[in-house]
Amino acid sequence: MEFELKLPEWLNRINSRAADITHNSIEERAGFVINLSHLNIEHGTGGPFGAAIFDINSGSLVSAGTNMVVPMGCSIAHAEMIAIMLAQKKLGTYRLPGPSKYQLVSSCQPCAMCMGAIPWSGVGSLVCSGREEDAKAIGFDEGDKPSDWIEKYEARNIEVIIDVLRSEACQVLRDYSKKNSQTY
């Protein structure tokens, strides 16, 4: 049995030119992933979540992912998981190299599954726009997560920055909800 990760064509184009995409500020990076989540809704290619891995120092994009749970029929096809898989594949490693070299930027705080994968991914920094309660407000089940998850990440030397462009991320979630789109 084989499993093929087939990205939407528009997302594949972004990833194919990742080396040419640079966002130096955290706000620019958050805006980029929020736009990914918006494009995912606009193209009808998945849920209202986007994520990307950036080189912390240069600001260059390593990989971009979107939520593709419904179109792939795969519960683990979350934006963060896609971005991590693509970055590791691109760099030829199962763990992103170097302490504090890579940053995962997500349009929303990670669900329980993604939260578990992040420490093993090798990222040294996590930036989130929307909050767990924002996703729950439109019907998404984020799973059981410890209330002190930020402290637990920081104890593992993973920097956590939250609420970057939160209102913009929440607008995408509301737009998705207005379309009576599927939540899970």
Side-chain angles (χ1 to χ4, degrees):
M1 177 181 275
E2 289 185 35
F3 180 81
E4 180 181 1
L5 176 62
K6 187 164 175 64
L7 299 177
E9 186 52 41
W10 67 268
L11 183 57
N12 201 38
R13 283 193 303 272
I14 289 171
N15 277 297
S16 69
R17 59 182 190 85
D20 300 327
I21 300 172
T22 301
H23 294 293
N24 292 315
S25 75
I26 291 172
E27 291 78 14
E28 288 176 351
R29 294 173 195 172
F32 176 80
V33 300
I34 292 166
N35 188 52
L36 288 176
S37 63
H38 171 75
L39 289 170
N40 210 32
I41 298 168
E42 186 178 289
H43 287 282
T45 50
F49 303 101
I53 303 280
F54 289 92
D55 181 297
I56 289 175
N57 298 318
S58 71
S60 63
L61 177 66
V62 178
S63 64
T66 57
N67 178 286
M68 299 187 306
V69 169
V70 173
M72 285 188 69
C74 181
S75 64
I76 66 168
H78 289 203
E80 297 92 339
M81 302 296 275
I82 301 297
I84 290 167
M85 285 190 290
L86 292 172
Q88 291 172 342
K89 181 74 172 167
K90 180 177 183 175
L91 298 173
T93 181
Y94 63 89
R95 183 172 171 80
L96 299 174
S100 301
K101 182 166 173 49
Y102 294 99
Q103 183 173 68
L104 172 61
V105 182
S106 180
S107 64
C108 197
Q109 289 176 350
C111 71
M113 175 186 63
C114 295
M115 181 177 286
I118 289 169
W120 293 304
S121 71
V123 299
S125 177
L126 170 65
V127 175
C128 306
S129 295
R131 288 193 179 193
E132 172 183 14
E133 56 263 30
D134 304 330
K136 283 182 173 182
I138 67 162
F140 281 94
D141 180 359
E142 296 298 287
D144 296 327
K145 302 187 304 190
S147 59
D148 61 345
W149 68 272
I150 293 175
E151 292 83 9
K152 289 181 183 269
Y153 271 16
E154 290 174 345
R156 289 176 166 260
N157 295 315
I158 300 171
E159 171 191 45
V160 178
I161 302 166
I162 62 170
D163 296 341
V164 180
L165 303 180
R166 182 179 179 195
S167 61
E168 290 87 338
C170 288
Q171 185 60 54
V172 174
L173 293 171
R174 285 190 298 273
D175 292 346
Y176 183 79
S177 181
K178 286 177 189 172
K179 290 185 169 207
N180 295 319
S181 297
Q182 189 171 4
T183 57
Y184 33 86

